[in-house]
């Protein structure tokens, strides 16, 4: 049977049997991680109501969608209806138990806080994984997925499609590496997000849980809170338990050419500031500064220490000297990156699109990076599918595989840490290899605003701010770096 293609195998069965039987590619011509190009992957989708729907549309044109899992069956109904033969699940763990031998690859597009667990479990089963951005909710989770990718050697991709889109990221890297803008010592980036509510007190009202929603499964490893409509769907992005705010949502798109083009690793110094910082909800606007040490020089350009600045919620860097008058600073797609080089200044929009030099020069440099074919037509997903079908030994890595996306995502969620720890009132020193801050005293404490309200009395606003009791700062930081999961939920162990 190993020499029979999936198509010919299915044609030998009756129509009824073909409709009821799912045969994995491991049976049909796939050996040691290789699937013949004529075969189709059996793909399972977890989290299919939002971006998962868009991702599946770019996968289903060429592959089999055999299982679909979501905690909200009303939100996911259009996808269920589009794939009536796919088996439906509420709980991804049950899906893995029942169909682990039948699926080849998994799409993960749930809320941020459940990405790591669902992805890690799939990888330990030997499944290829496409996981939406941000790759994970914490630094430790990012490190885990990076190391699992090394161990299991499956095809992986983070859903920051800009890494494949319109060659912007590739072009920026080639310009920088060719020495076109000289040494870069400062980068400033911004987004016009959030476009969902942030800076909110936690809701006190308890709403009735719809019959089509499994709130316990949505919560997953996080603290179980009473359900409120402000959390789901989509607006979960602004709540710390489930999302990572505007930074986590958009930095994976905007900062990718910065991380890749400057060969960044772990930052050594971080600090953040924001509008009102609450215990439960991300602030309306943030500024984060990450300092990265010098890296190994490249043949045509040195890589000195560099500051990376992030702004969101309407906050913006200053206009560079010589920036055209009357021209909007925010770039295409609601994003901005300004690379300050010793020779020139490079500017681009979200996803690295439309890069240009402030001098007006148009560099003509050798093309050294692979471009993705038809990137504007689902190429990011199809590039992952291509990698899934290649043998591990000869696989061409995807444009945002976990070996790159994992360390990059650590940079993104480090920005979240800087903001959430800002009330320590100091620049934090980061030990990247050991995932810890080195200048938080064991007895140091931190207080966080639980609730902030005001009322106007006789024309005078009266503020009422409720603070937490003092919290041990080291323990609080450790819980942000590596989360303490709710009982019944567990990550796989870190590979040694």
């Amino acid at each position: 049977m190993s020499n029979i293609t999936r198509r010919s195998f299915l044609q030998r069965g009756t129509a009824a049997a073909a409709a009821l039987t799912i045969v994995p590619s491991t049976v049909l011509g796939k050996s040691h991680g290789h699937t013949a190009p004529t075969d189709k992957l059996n793909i399972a989708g977890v989290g299919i109501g939002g971006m998962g729907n868009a991702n599946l549309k770019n996968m289903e044109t060429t592959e089999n969608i055999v299982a679909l899992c979501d905690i909200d069956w009303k939100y996911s109904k259009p996808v269920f209806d589009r794939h009536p033969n796919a088996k439906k699940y509420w709980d991804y763990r049950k899906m893995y138990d029942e169909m682990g031998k039948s699926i080849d690859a998994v799409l993960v597009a749930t809320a941020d806080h459940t990405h790591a667990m669902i992805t890690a479990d799939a990888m330990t089963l030997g499944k290829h994984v496409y996981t939406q951005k941000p790759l994970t909710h914490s630094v430790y989770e990012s490190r885990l997925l990076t190391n699992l990718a090394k161990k299991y050697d499956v095809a992986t991709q983070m859903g920051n499609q800009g890494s494949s889109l319109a060659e912007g990221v590739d072009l920026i890297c080639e310009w920088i590496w060719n020495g076109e803008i000289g040494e870069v010592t400062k980068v400033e980036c911004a987004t016009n997000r959030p476009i969902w509510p942030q800076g909110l007190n936690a809701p006190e009202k308890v709403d009735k849980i719809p019959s089509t929603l499994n709130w316990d499964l949505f919560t997953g490893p996080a603290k179980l809170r009473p359900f409120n409509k402000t959390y789901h769907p989509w607006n979960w992005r602004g709540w710390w338990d489930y999302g990572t705010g505007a930074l986590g949502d958009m930095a994976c798109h905007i900062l990718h050419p910065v991380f890749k083009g400057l060969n960044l690793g772990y930052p050594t110094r971080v600090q953040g500031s924001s509008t009102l910082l609450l215990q439960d909800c991300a602030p309306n606007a943030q500024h984060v500064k990450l300092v990265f040490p010098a890296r190994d020089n490249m043949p045509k350009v040195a890589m000195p220490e560099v500051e990376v600045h992030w702004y969101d919620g309407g906050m913006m860097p200053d206009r560079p000297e010589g920036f055209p008058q009357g021209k909007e600073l925010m770039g295409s797609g609601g994003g901005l990156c300004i690379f300050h080089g010793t020779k020139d200044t490079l500017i681009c929009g979200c996803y690295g699109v439309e890069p240009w030099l402030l001098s007006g020069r148009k560099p003509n440099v050798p093309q050294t990076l692979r471009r993705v074919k038809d990137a504007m037509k689902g190429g990011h997903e199809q590039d992952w599918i291509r990698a899934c079908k290649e043998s591990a030994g000869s696989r061409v890595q995807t444009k945002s595989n976990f070996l790159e996306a994992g360390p990059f995502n650590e940079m993104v969620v480090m920005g979240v840490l800087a903001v959430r720890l800002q009330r320590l009132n100091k620049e934090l020193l980061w030990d990247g290899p050991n995932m810890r801050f080195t200048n938080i005293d064991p007895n140091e404490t931190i207080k966080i605003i639980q609730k902030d309200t005001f009322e106007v009395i006789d024309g005078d606003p009266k503020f009422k701010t409720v603070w937490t009791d003092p919290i041990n700062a080291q323990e609080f930081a450790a819980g942000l770096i590596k989360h303490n999961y709710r009982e019944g939920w567990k990550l796989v162990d870190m590979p040694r």
Side-chain angles (χ1 to χ4, degrees), residues 96-142:
Y96 286 175
D97 286 344
E98 293 185 359
M99 299 193 66
K101 295 181 179 179
S102 302
I103 58 178
D104 303 309
V106 181
L107 160 69
V108 181
T110 57
D112 299 352
H113 71 299
T114 52
H115 284 183
M117 187 171 294
I118 300 169
T119 301
D121 287 349
M123 294 172 76
T124 58
L125 291 173
K127 309 305 176 186
H128 309 294
V129 193
Y130 182 111
T131 302
Q132 259 303 329
K133 55 78 195 167
L135 186 62
T136 71
H137 196 258
S138 76
V139 169
Y140 178 87
E141 292 170 341
S142 295

Coordinates of all heavy atoms in Angstrom, one line a residue, residues 96-142:
Y96 N -7.2 15.3 19.4 CA -5.9 14.6 19.3 C -6.0 13.1 19.7 O -5.4 12.3 19.1 CB -4.9 15.3 20.2 CG -4.4 16.6 19.7 CD1 -3.5 17.4 20.4 CD2 -4.8 17.1 18.4 CE1 -3.1 18.6 20.0 CE2 -4.3 18.4 18.0 CZ -3.5 19.1 18.8 OH -3.0 20.3 18.3
D97 N -6.8 12.8 20.8 CA -6.9 11.4 21.2 C -7.6 10.6 20.1 O -7.2 9.4 19.9 CB -7.7 11.4 22.5 CG -6.9 11.8 23.7 OD1 -5.7 11.9 23.6 OD2 -7.6 12.1 24.7
E98 N -8.6 11.1 19.5 CA -9.4 10.3 18.6 C -8.8 10.3 17.2 O -9.0 9.3 16.4 CB -10.8 10.8 18.5 CG -11.6 10.6 19.8 CD -13.1 11.0 19.7 OE1 -13.5 11.5 18.7 OE2 -13.8 10.9 20.7
M99 N -8.2 11.4 16.8 CA -7.7 11.5 15.4 C -6.2 11.7 15.2 O -5.8 12.1 14.2 CB -8.5 12.7 14.7 CG -10.0 12.5 14.7 SD -10.9 13.6 13.6 CE -10.2 13.1 12.0
G100 N -5.5 11.5 16.3 CA -4.1 11.7 16.3 C -3.4 11.0 15.2 O -2.4 11.4 14.6
K101 N -3.9 9.8 14.9 CA -3.3 8.9 13.8 C -3.8 9.2 12.4 O -3.3 8.7 11.5 CB -3.5 7.5 14.2 CG -2.8 7.0 15.5 CD -3.0 5.5 15.7 CE -2.3 5.1 17.0 NZ -2.6 3.6 17.3
S102 N -4.8 10.1 12.4 CA -5.4 10.4 11.1 C -5.0 11.7 10.5 O -5.3 12.0 9.3 CB -6.9 10.4 11.2 OG -7.4 9.1 11.7
I103 N -4.4 12.6 11.3 CA -4.1 13.9 10.8 C -2.6 14.1 10.6 O -1.8 13.4 11.3 CB -4.6 15.0 11.8 CG1 -4.1 14.9 13.2 CG2 -6.2 15.1 11.8 CD1 -4.5 15.9 14.1
D104 N -2.2 14.9 9.7 CA -0.8 15.2 9.4 C -0.4 16.5 9.9 O 0.8 16.7 10.2 CB -0.6 15.2 7.8 CG -1.0 13.9 7.2 OD1 -0.6 12.9 7.6 OD2 -1.8 14.0 6.2
A105 N -1.3 17.5 10.0 CA -0.9 18.8 10.3 C -2.0 19.6 11.0 O -3.2 19.2 10.9 CB -0.5 19.6 9.1
V106 N -1.7 20.6 11.8 CA -2.6 21.3 12.6 C -2.5 22.8 12.5 O -1.4 23.3 12.5 CB -2.5 21.0 14.1 CG1 -3.5 21.7 15.0 CG2 -2.6 19.4 14.4
L107 N -3.6 23.5 12.3 CA -3.7 24.9 12.3 C -4.1 25.4 13.7 O -5.2 24.9 14.2 CB -4.7 25.5 11.3 CG -5.2 26.9 11.5 CD1 -4.1 27.9 11.3 CD2 -6.4 27.2 10.6
V108 N -3.4 26.3 14.4 CA -3.8 26.8 15.7 C -4.0 28.3 15.6 O -3.1 29.0 15.3 CB -2.7 26.5 16.7 CG1 -3.1 27.0 18.1 CG2 -2.4 25.0 16.8
A109 N -5.3 28.7 15.8 CA -5.6 30.1 15.7 C -6.6 30.5 16.8 O -7.6 31.2 16.6 CB -6.2 30.4 14.3
T110 N -6.3 30.0 18.0 CA -7.1 30.3 19.2 C -6.7 31.6 19.8 O -5.9 32.3 19.2 CB -7.0 29.2 20.2 OG1 -5.6 29.0 20.5 CG2 -7.4 27.8 19.6
A111 N -7.2 32.0 21.0 CA -6.8 33.1 21.7 C -5.3 32.9 22.1 O -4.8 31.8 22.3 CB -7.6 33.4 22.9
D112 N -4.5 34.0 22.3 CA -3.1 33.9 22.5 C -2.7 33.0 23.6 O -1.7 32.2 23.5 CB -2.5 35.3 22.8 CG -2.8 36.3 21.7 OD1 -3.2 36.0 20.6 OD2 -2.5 37.5 22.0
H113 N -3.4 32.9 24.7 CA -3.0 32.2 25.9 C -3.1 30.7 25.7 O -2.5 30.0 26.6 CB -3.9 32.7 27.1 CG -5.3 32.2 27.1 ND1 -6.2 32.5 26.1 CD2 -6.0 31.4 27.9 CE1 -7.3 32.0 26.3 NE2 -7.2 31.3 27.4
T114 N -3.7 30.2 24.7 CA -3.8 28.8 24.5 C -2.9 28.3 23.3 O -2.9 27.1 23.0 CB -5.2 28.3 24.3 OG1 -5.8 29.1 23.3 CG2 -6.0 28.5 25.6
H115 N -2.3 29.2 22.6 CA -1.4 28.8 21.5 C -0.4 27.8 21.8 O -0.2 26.7 21.1 CB -0.7 30.0 20.9 CG -1.5 31.0 20.1 ND1 -1.0 32.1 19.4 CD2 -2.9 30.9 19.8 CE1 -2.0 32.7 18.8 NE2 -3.1 32.0 19.0
A116 N 0.4 28.0 22.9 CA 1.5 27.2 23.2 C 1.1 25.8 23.5 O 1.8 24.8 23.0 CB 2.3 27.8 24.4
M117 N 0.1 25.6 24.3 CA -0.3 24.3 24.8 C -0.8 23.4 23.6 O -0.3 22.3 23.4 CB -1.3 24.4 25.8 CG -1.7 23.1 26.5 SD -2.8 23.4 27.9 CE -1.7 24.2 29.0
I118 N -1.6 24.0 22.8 CA -2.2 23.2 21.6 C -1.1 22.9 20.6 O -1.0 21.8 20.1 CB -3.3 24.0 21.0 CG1 -4.4 24.3 22.0 CG2 -3.9 23.3 19.8 CD1 -5.5 25.3 21.5
T119 N -0.2 23.9 20.4 CA 0.9 23.7 19.5 C 1.9 22.7 20.0 O 2.3 21.8 19.2 CB 1.6 25.0 19.2 OG1 0.7 26.0 18.7 CG2 2.7 24.9 18.2
A120 N 2.3 22.8 21.2 CA 3.2 21.8 21.8 C 2.7 20.4 21.8 O 3.5 19.5 21.4 CB 3.6 22.2 23.2
D121 N 1.5 20.2 22.1 CA 0.9 18.9 22.1 C 0.9 18.3 20.7 O 1.1 17.1 20.5 CB -0.5 18.9 22.7 CG -0.6 19.1 24.2 OD1 0.5 19.0 24.8 OD2 -1.6 19.3 24.7
A122 N 0.6 19.1 19.7 CA 0.6 18.6 18.3 C 2.0 18.2 17.9 O 2.2 17.2 17.2 CB 0.1 19.7 17.4
M123 N 3.0 19.0 18.3 CA 4.4 18.7 17.9 C 4.9 17.5 18.5 O 5.6 16.7 17.8 CB 5.3 19.9 18.2 CG 5.0 21.2 17.5 SD 5.9 22.6 18.1 CE 7.5 22.3 17.4
T124 N 4.5 17.2 19.7 CA 5.0 16.0 20.4 C 4.3 14.7 19.7 O 4.8 13.6 19.9 CB 4.7 16.0 21.9 OG1 3.3 16.2 22.1 CG2 5.5 17.1 22.6
L125 N 3.2 15.0 19.0 CA 2.6 13.9 18.3 C 3.2 13.7 16.9 O 2.7 12.9 16.1 CB 1.1 14.1 18.2 CG 0.2 14.0 19.5 CD1 -1.2 14.5 19.2 CD2 0.3 12.6 20.0
G126 N 4.2 14.6 16.6 CA 4.8 14.5 15.3 C 4.1 15.2 14.2 O 4.3 15.0 13.0
K127 N 3.2 16.2 14.5 CA 2.4 16.9 13.5 C 3.0 18.2 13.2 O 3.6 18.9 14.0 CB 0.9 17.2 14.1 CG 0.2 15.9 14.7 CD 0.2 14.8 13.7 CE -0.4 13.5 14.3 NZ -0.4 12.3 13.4
H128 N 2.9 18.5 11.9 CA 3.3 19.9 11.4 C 2.3 20.9 12.0 O 1.1 20.6 12.1 CB 3.3 19.9 9.9 CG 4.1 18.8 9.3 ND1 5.5 18.6 9.4 CD2 3.7 17.7 8.5 CE1 5.9 17.6 8.7 NE2 4.8 17.0 8.2
V129 N 2.8 22.1 12.2 CA 1.9 23.1 12.9 C 2.1 24.5 12.3 O 3.2 24.9 12.0 CB 2.2 23.2 14.4 CG1 1.1 24.0 15.1 CG2 2.4 21.9 15.1
Y130 N 0.9 25.1 12.0 CA 0.9 26.5 11.6 C 0.1 27.2 12.8 O -1.0 26.9 13.0 CB 0.1 26.7 10.3 CG -0.1 28.1 9.8 CD1 0.6 28.5 8.6 CD2 -0.9 29.0 10.4 CE1 0.5 29.7 8.1 CE2 -1.0 30.3 9.9 CZ -0.3 30.7 8.8 OH -0.5 31.9 8.3
T131 N 0.8 28.1 13.5 CA 0.2 28.8 14.6 C 0.2 30.3 14.4 O 1.2 30.9 14.0 CB 1.0 28.5 15.9 OG1 1.0 27.0 16.1 CG2 0.4 29.1 17.1
Q132 N -1.0 30.8 14.7 CA -1.2 32.3 14.5 C -0.2 33.1 15.4 O 0.2 32.6 16.4 CB -2.6 32.7 14.8 CG -3.4 32.9 13.5 CD -2.8 33.9 12.6 OE1 -2.2 34.9 12.9 NE2 -3.0 33.7 11.3
K133 N -0.1 34.3 15.1 CA 0.7 35.3 15.9 C -0.2 35.8 17.0 O -1.4 35.9 16.8 CB 1.4 36.3 15.0 CG 0.4 37.2 14.1 CD -0.4 38.2 14.9 CE -1.5 38.7 14.1 NZ -2.4 39.5 15.0
P134 N 0.4 36.3 18.1 CA 1.8 36.0 18.5 C 1.9 34.5 18.8 O 0.9 33.9 19.2 CB 1.9 36.8 19.8 CG 0.5 36.9 20.3 CD -0.3 37.0 19.1
L135 N 3.1 34.0 18.6 CA 3.3 32.5 18.7 C 2.8 32.0 20.0 O 2.2 30.9 20.1 CB 4.7 32.2 18.4 CG 5.1 30.7 18.3 CD1 4.3 30.0 17.2 CD2 6.6 30.5 18.2
T136 N 3.2 32.7 21.1 CA 2.8 32.3 22.4 C 2.5 33.6 23.3 O 2.7 34.7 22.9 CB 4.0 31.6 23.1 OG1 5.0 32.5 23.5 CG2 4.5 30.5 22.3
H137 N 2.1 33.3 24.5 CA 1.6 34.3 25.5 C 2.8 34.7 26.4 O 2.7 35.8 27.0 CB 0.5 33.8 26.3 CG -0.3 34.8 27.0 ND1 -0.2 35.0 28.4 CD2 -1.3 35.7 26.6 CE1 -1.0 36.0 28.8 NE2 -1.7 36.4 27.7
S138 N 3.8 33.9 26.5 CA 4.9 34.1 27.4 C 6.3 33.8 26.8 O 6.4 33.1 25.8 CB 4.7 33.3 28.7 OG 5.1 31.9 28.5
V139 N 7.3 34.3 27.5 CA 8.7 34.0 27.1 C 9.0 32.5 27.1 O 9.5 31.9 26.2 CB 9.7 34.8 27.9 CG1 11.1 34.3 27.7 CG2 9.6 36.3 27.7
Y140 N 8.7 31.9 28.3 CA 9.0 30.5 28.4 C 8.3 29.6 27.3 O 8.9 28.7 26.8 CB 8.5 30.0 29.8 CG 8.7 28.5 30.1 CD1 10.0 28.1 30.5 CD2 7.8 27.6 29.8 CE1 10.2 26.7 30.7 CE2 8.0 26.2 30.0 CZ 9.2 25.8 30.5 OH 9.4 24.4 30.6
E141 N 7.0 30.0 27.0 CA 6.3 29.2 26.0 C 7.0 29.3 24.6 O 7.1 28.4 23.9 CB 4.9 29.7 25.9 CG 4.0 29.4 27.1 CD 2.7 30.1 27.1 OE1 2.5 31.1 26.4 OE2 1.8 29.7 27.8
S142 N 7.5 30.5 24.3 CA 8.2 30.7 23.1 C 9.5 29.9 23.0 O 9.8 29.2 22.0 CB 8.6 32.2 22.9 OG 7.5 33.0 22.8

